[in-house]
Each structure stands twice: as C-alpha cells, then as structure tokens.
C-alpha cells in the first residue's frame, strides 16, 4: 500500500532530504527533531569542522606568503569571535532549511520521539508535554552519537567532536586521540592556528578503518610530522589525570607522559537507537545495529531507516541519498544506492579523497585493475599555489580501460574527486580523458596526465 502520511524522525541531512522529497511527491510529512534542524552535519559536524579548517588554512596560506617576500604578522586569535562567526553561518543555514521545509508544507515538531506502537509515536516536547502522532509510514534518521570511553573524566579541557567547536581558548598544546578523519582534520586545523599538536592513534597508521586511504594516510603522516606534529601510532592512552583547569596529564602505552591544555577524544560514533523504544514497533537490533534492506526498509515493512543510524558509510551525502532511495521505495519504486559511487573526502592539507573501487575491490569484483599515478610535483598550478605535495592515483580496468576508481591526495582533492565520480558514472575510458581539453595551468589537468601515463604504458606493452 502506498502511504499517504509519513513521520520522519531526525532533521539531519538524511531526515531533512527525506521530508522534502516525500512532501514534493505528495505525502503529508511530519518531521520531528529534538535539537536543531540540520542535525550533526550542520551543527556539530561537517559545517563547523569545514569552517574551522577553512579559517586555519587561510592563516597557514597567509603566513606562507613569507616564502615570496610578503610577511604578515599573526595577532593572537580571538576564539570567541571565531566561534561567533561560525554560529552566524549556522544560523543562516538553519533558517534556509526551515524556510524550505515550510515552503514544502512539512510540519515540524520539536521534541524527542519514541515508538508506542508500530504506527504511533510519542513526542516529548521541550516543556515536557507528550504528544501522540501516527502515520502510514515512518522513517528513522536519528543519526549517531559520540563515544566517550570511561577513562576520560568530565573536565573542561577534555573535549569531544562537539565541544571542540566551543573551546574558549586556543590550546598551546592539544592532544588529539583518534587518527580517523575527524581526528586528522581537527589536528590539522589546530596546528594551522598555532597549537602544538600530538596525535595518538591505537592502530599502526592514520585513517585505519579506511583501507582505500592507506597511501593518503601515509602522506598525511609525513606531512603532519614535517610540519612539527607529534604522531604516536600503535599507541593507547592508559591513564588520564587532570592537573588544573587547562592542564591534563596523559600516560601512554609507548611509555610517554604528556601534558596538554586540551584533549580531544575522537574515537568513533555509535548509532542513536536506544531512546526510540524500537521493541514497541516490533523492531529488534542485530549486533547493536538496526539492519535495513537495499531500499532502506527495516524488518517492519512500513518503517525505514537511513543515515548514520544504519549506514555502512556514515557521511552526510550518504544519508541524503539513502533518503531518496527510502522515499522511492515507499512509493513502490526500486532504487538502490551503489556505495562505491559515494565520494569520501578528508579536508586536511594535503586534502584526500576517494571514489569508486580500490585496487583490492576491483580485483574482488572480477576486474584486472591497472594502477597509474601522477604526482602533483609535476603540475605547474600546484607549484604556483605552493602545494605540490601529493598524487592522483587512477584505478582502471586493464581490459576495458574504463575508469573504476580514483584516490587523490593533494590540493583541492575534495573538489577534483568529482571528475572521477563523473567519469565512473558515465563509464568513461582512459582515452576519453586523454581526448578532453583541460585548461592549463589547472590542477584538473592532472587527470589527463594520469590518463596519458596509462595510455603510454599500454602502448609500450603492445610494442
Ligand atoms: C566533526 C564531524 C565532522 C564531519 N564531517 C563530515 C564531512 O565533512 N562530510 C560528511 O559527509 N560527513 C561528515 N560528518 C558526518 C556527518 O555529520 C553525518 O554522516 C551526518 O550528519 C549523518 O546524517 P543523519 O541525517 O544520518 O544524522 P544526523 O545528522 O546525526 O541527524 C540526526 C538528527 O536526529 C535527531 N534525533 C536523534 N534522536 C531523536 C529522537 N528520538 N527524536 C527526535 N530527534 C532525534 C538528532 O538531534 C539529530 O539532529 C562529520 C561528523 C562529525 C562529527
């Protein structure tokens, strides 16, 4: 049965897109959000982190001008103003979302939702008033929350990936625990603003949960260390001792003891399932997770779940695409999402981005992969921009010459990766890239350079 009404729980990039899409396709939509519109992404994730990285990069670039004889002096950073400007941007973005939802006639309710039966939910309003609502279909987009191990006491100088964006001072020494993308981005941003940074990761390398980024992680390690960051991989924190308001002592498994003015714990997130009373809807968890079909449908056919709550690739744009798939499925269509086509971006410098199949994935899916690499050291635009560190790796099918994937580590990688996305989506071959005219000088012409390498190597093989 095609539903006429839909309740969406959570107004992050998953729930927001689902609400708009469903409303535009004729469903009566109620969107329930317990905190702010925009979810983690807008308020505590993608946008605040990219804001901080952008400001830090601007500082780094300004100071680097000294290499060209233009010397600027950095005054102490006013953290209150830095965060106030971020908050202003977030306010504007939230207002835009609210306007779009209202224009689409989505009913927005502020409050915390939980199931009382498979079709009914209770929403607890901020003033404590409960409200009962029901709909033909329900979409869960409640996202994920920070994990804080019990080793770390509650202390003003011990922050997580939310409270870091309110830290009222620039730490002289910041210790970042966790070398995933959030830890790497924050370590990079604070180092750029002038903090001494120590980054601690328990696995032997940075970005350990993302094998597709192994080469990029190695480049980041070298680059961070060259800029003076202390990296301790294969290391865990074994004791945490607050000394003063802005002083924490950490003892580590590598035998080192370190004092920091702030400690960021960025060791992962877990799905927000526990407050939903899923059992009342007849839903059960599988290994602490809610499982869904390729159409985002749970084991209860009219209940769907998307985004960080369930996704194998917890990113904002994954959540938004899963929203489209779920709404289509409600309307009887059968869309699916190919997770390999989702670009994954890390906004450090050098930046890193990946899309498509890695060499290993290509092999596993029956391809004979061909790997070609071009270094930004050979790109003149990268040279004039003073960012010639990094490379463009192209993964192609050795038989059909189709582009299968790409890993870019270097300047503007998070923008350039979309060229690879388009190439994969449209089934382009190496020769198509070679025949495309790229402007000179441009960073994008590295795509053609890497294609030329593949073609030249192919010709050599034929001879
Ligand atoms: C520091 C940081 C940086 C990041 N950077 C990036 C990036 O650059 N690019 C990227 O793609 N991703 C990034 N992410 C990940 C991204 O934020 C998430 O993948 C994305 O927000 C997931 O969207 P979602 O809609 O599933 O959930 P969320 O955005 O988490 O939204 C879920 C919403 O549901 C609400 N909610 C939860 N339970 C209930 C309930 N019971 N009742 C009512 N409301 C409820 C929450 O308040 C929240 O607003 C970052 C994350 C962090 C923490």
């Amino acid at each position: 049965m095609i539903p006429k009404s839909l309740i969406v729980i959570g107004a992050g990039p998953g729930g927001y897109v689902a609400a708009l899409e469903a409303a535009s396709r004729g469903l009566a939509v109620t969107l329930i959000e317990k905190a702010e519109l925009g979810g983690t992404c807008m308020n505590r994730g993608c946008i605040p982190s990219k804001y901080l990285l952008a400001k830090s990069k601007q500082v780094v670039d300004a100071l680097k001008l000294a290499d060209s004889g233009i010397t600027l002096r950095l005054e102490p950073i006013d953290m209150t103003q830095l965060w106030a400007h971020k908050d202003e941007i977030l306010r504007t973005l939230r207002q835009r979302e609210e306007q779009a939802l209202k224009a689409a006639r989505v009913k927005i309710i502020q409050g915390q939702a939980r199931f009382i039966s498979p079709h009914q939910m209770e929403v607890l309003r901020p003033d404590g008033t409960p409200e009962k609502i029901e709909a033909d279909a329900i979409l869960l987009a409640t996202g994920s929350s920070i994990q804080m191990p019990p080793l770390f006491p509650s202390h003003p100088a011990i922050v997580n990936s939310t409270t870091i964006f309110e830290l009222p001072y620039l730490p002289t020494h910041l210790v970042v625990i966790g070398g995933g993308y959030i830890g790497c981005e924050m370590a990079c941003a604070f180092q750029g603003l002038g903090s001494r940074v120590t980054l601690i990761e328990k696995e032997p390398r940075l970005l350990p949960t993302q094998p597709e980024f192994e080469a990029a992680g190695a480049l980041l390690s070298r680059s961070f260390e060259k800029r003076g960051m202390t990296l301790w991989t294969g290391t865990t924190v074994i004791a945490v001792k607050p000394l003063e308001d802005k002083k924490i002592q950490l003892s580590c498994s590598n035998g080192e003891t370190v004092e920091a003015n702030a400690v960021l714990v960025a060791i992962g997130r877990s799905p927000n399932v526990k407050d939903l009373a899923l059992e009342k809807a007849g839903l059960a968890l599988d290994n602490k997770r809610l499982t869904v079909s390729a159409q985002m449908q749970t084991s209860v056919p009219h209940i769907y779940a998307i985004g960080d709550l369930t996704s194998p690739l917890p990113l904002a744009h994954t959540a938004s695409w899963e929203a489209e798939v779920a709404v289509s499925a409600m309307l009887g269509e059968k869309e699916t999402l190919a997770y390999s086509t989702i670009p994954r971006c890390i906004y450090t410098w050098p930046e890193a981005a990946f899309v498509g199949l890695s060499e290993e994935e290509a092999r596993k899916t029956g391809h004979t992969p061909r790997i070609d690499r071009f270094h930004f050291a050979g790109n003149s635009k990268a040279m004039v921009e003073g960012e010639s560190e990094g490379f463009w790796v192209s993964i192609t099918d050795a038989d059909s010459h189709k582009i299968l994937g790409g890993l870019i580590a270097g300047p503007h990688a998070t923008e350039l990766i979309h060229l690879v996305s388009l190439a994969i989506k449209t089934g382009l071959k190496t020769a198509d890239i070679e025949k495309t005219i790229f402007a000179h000088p441009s960073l994008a012409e590295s795509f053609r350079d890497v294609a030329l390498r593949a073609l030249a190597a192919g010709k050599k093989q034929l001879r």
Side-chain angles (χ1 to χ4, degrees):
M1 189 195 80
I2 304 285
K4 291 196 168 56
S5 56
L6 170 69
I7 295 173
V8 178
I9 317 290
Y16 166 75
V17 170
L20 281 184
E21 177 68 12
S24 78
R25 300 188 67 174
L27 273 73
V29 182
T30 306
L31 175 64
I32 305 168
E33 171 55 58
K34 67 175 179 184
E36 310 97 331
L37 292 181
T40 304
C41 171
M42 189 185 293
N43 300 289
R44 302 172 288 283
C46 324
I47 308 298
S49 60
K50 267 74 261 181
Y51 166 83
L52 186 70
L53 282 154
K55 296 301 136 194
S56 175
K57 184 71 170 34
Q58 284 158 7
V59 169
V60 169
D61 286 345
L63 295 178
K64 214 160 64 181
L65 285 173
D67 296 346
S68 320
I70 307 162
T71 308
L72 304 174
R73 200 180 61 239
L74 184 64
E75 297 290 342
I77 295 172
D78 179 345
M79 296 299 280
T80 309
Q81 192 166 342
L82 184 78
W83 299 138
H85 185 205
K86 169 208 51 135
D87 291 339
E88 205 180 296
I89 295 170
L90 299 188
R91 242 189 326 273
T92 309
L93 291 173
R94 275 196 299 268
Q95 274 164 8
R96 273 193 210 151
E97 283 208 349
E98 192 174 352
Q99 279 160 9
L101 289 166
K102 284 188 173 153
R105 297 182 191 281
V106 172
K107 183 178 176 194
I108 306 168
I109 301 183
Q110 208 198 354
Q112 170 137 354
R114 65 185 181 95
F115 282 101
I116 43 179
S117 78
H119 281 279
Q120 288 181 314
M121 305 214 72
E122 182 191 74
V123 184
L124 201 61
R125 300 289 210 135
D127 64 3
T129 335
E131 184 178 338
K132 211 188 272 180
I133 54 166
E134 58 179 74
D136 299 337
I138 294 174
L139 185 139
L140 305 173
T142 52
S144 59
S145 297
I146 287 157
Q147 286 174 15
M148 184 59 93
L151 179 69
F152 294 90
S154 168
H155 185 278
I158 300 178
V159 292
N160 56 40
S161 68
T162 296
T163 48
I164 185 104
F165 300 119
E166 295 154 14
L167 197 66
Y169 58 94
L170 182 68
T172 323
H173 183 197
L174 172 71
V175 172
V176 176
I177 298 160
Y181 82 91
I182 295 176
C184 286
E185 286 185 353
M186 290 301 99
C188 183
F190 276 89
Q191 189 188 35
L193 293 176
S195 296
R196 179 159 80 85
V197 174
T198 301
L199 178 54
I200 302 175
E201 165 54 53
K202 83 168 168 17
E203 298 298 332
R205 61 179 186 86
L206 295 184
L207 309 172
T209 61
Q210 294 173 282
E212 69 276 23
F213 277 113
E214 188 170 350
L219 176 73
L220 279 190
S221 296
R222 286 197 300 277
S223 185
F224 284 172
E225 285 189 313
K226 204 163 72 191
R227 303 204 299 261
M229 196 185 291
T230 304
L231 277 192
W232 291 339
T233 48
T235 305
T236 52
V237 177
I238 50 180
V240 181
K241 190 168 153 197
L243 299 177
E244 295 163 20
D245 258 10
K246 291 183 192 165
K247 206 185 257 184
I248 309 286
Q249 191 185 68
L250 302 174
S251 307
C252 300
S253 62
N254 61 356
E256 299 275 356
T257 296
V258 66
E259 278 179 18
N261 311 101
V263 176
L264 165 66
V265 184
I267 56 145
R269 299 175 67 85
S270 45
N272 289 331
V273 282
K274 75 175 189 313
D275 298 328
L276 288 167
L278 293 173
E279 65 291 349
K280 297 265 170 60
L283 287 167
L285 296 182
D286 180 11
N287 202 11
K288 296 191 188 164
R289 295 194 81 92
L290 191 58
T291 46
V292 289
S293 69
Q295 276 73 49
M296 311 297 145
Q297 202 166 20
T298 66
S299 56
V300 177
H302 69 276
I303 303 176
Y304 294 76
I306 58 165
D308 278 18
L309 174 63
T310 54
S311 190
L313 192 57
L315 291 170
H317 43 292
T318 312
S320 301
W321 276 96
E322 288 176 343
E324 307 266 355
V325 171
V327 173
S328 304
M330 285 172 208
L331 298 173
E333 296 156 14
K334 204 166 182 183
E335 296 217 5
T336 48
L337 177 57
Y339 286 88
S340 65
T341 59
I342 298 173
R344 303 140 207 207
C345 295
I346 301 169
Y347 298 75
T348 44
W349 46 95
E351 292 185 0
F354 175 87
V355 73
L357 300 178
S358 64
E359 182 178 355
E360 200 190 334
E361 287 162 342
R363 224 179 285 284
K364 273 191 195 153
T365 47
H367 298 278
T368 305
R370 215 208 113 77
I371 309 298
D372 292 283
R373 186 185 284 244
F374 176 80
H375 287 271
F376 282 108
N379 177 284
S380 42
K381 183 83 182 304
M383 291 282 278
V384 294
E385 290 193 355
E387 295 199 42
S388 51
E389 205 177 15
F391 49 78
W392 190 312
V393 174
S394 195
I395 301 125
T396 46
D397 182 284
D399 302 319
S400 69
H401 307 289
K402 276 195 178 170
I403 313 281
L404 300 175
L407 168 68
I408 310 174
H412 301 284
T414 62
E415 298 295 334
L416 296 171
I417 197 68
H418 299 97
L419 289 175
V420 185
S421 292
L422 271 174
I424 296 172
K425 178 83 187 150
T426 51
L428 295 188
K429 296 182 177 182
T430 315
D432 298 313
I433 310 300
E434 188 263 334
K435 288 201 189 80
T436 303
I437 303 172
F438 287 85
H440 177 77
S442 68
L443 296 169
E445 65 185 325
S446 302
F447 197 14
R448 187 165 180 270
D449 284 315
V450 79
L452 284 172
R453 289 189 171 210
L455 289 170
K459 276 179 202 149
K460 254 191 235 157
Q461 272 170 9
L462 286 176
R463 260 190 243 133

